[in-house]
Amino acid sequence: MGERGNSPSPYFLFGDKGDNIMITQTTMYNVKNRSSSMVVYRIPETNLRREFSPGETKRIPFGELEKLTYQPGGKELLENFL
């Protein structure tokens, strides 16, 4: 018990049937603009710019969302608007 080798990676989800689901950099997520305004973010390292119209949903890979959290204001965008 408590052995480091037996604990799941932070990139594992536990499904509703008890199965483990591994999250990879390419795992896709639906991301919706929950605000009534346009939301735009940039990830300069990958030369990426995304625009979301109000209510728009896009499929975004986990790796991109992770990189967004490292951008100034990225976590706030995800928590409050997307």
Side-chain angles (χ1 to χ4, degrees):
M1 182 172 166
E3 289 182 37
R4 191 175 194 107
N6 293 337
S7 64
S9 156
Y11 301 121
F12 271 90
L13 291 178
F14 296 99
D16 51 349
K17 296 177 184 166
D19 51 343
N20 294 339
I21 303 166
M22 186 170 151
I23 300 171
T24 66
Q25 293 293 308
T26 58
T27 301
M28 301 297 281
Y29 287 92
N30 290 327
V31 178
K32 181 177 182 176
N33 178 359
R34 296 176 287 134
S35 76
S36 59
S37 302
M38 179 82 91
V39 174
V40 179
Y41 67 79
R42 290 185 58 239
I43 302 177
E45 301 84 47
T46 57
N47 199 28
L48 178 74
R49 181 178 189 272
R50 288 219 191 255
E51 293 184 6
F52 288 80
S53 297
E56 182 178 13
T57 301
K58 295 184 181 191
R59 300 214 12 106
I60 309 293
F62 171 78
E64 181 178 324
L65 297 173
E66 183 178 40
K67 288 176 185 166
L68 177 57
T69 64
Y70 299 130
Q71 300 303 313
K75 279 186 182 180
E76 289 78 9
L77 275 179
L78 289 170
E79 291 170 357
N80 300 317
F81 302 103
L82 299 176

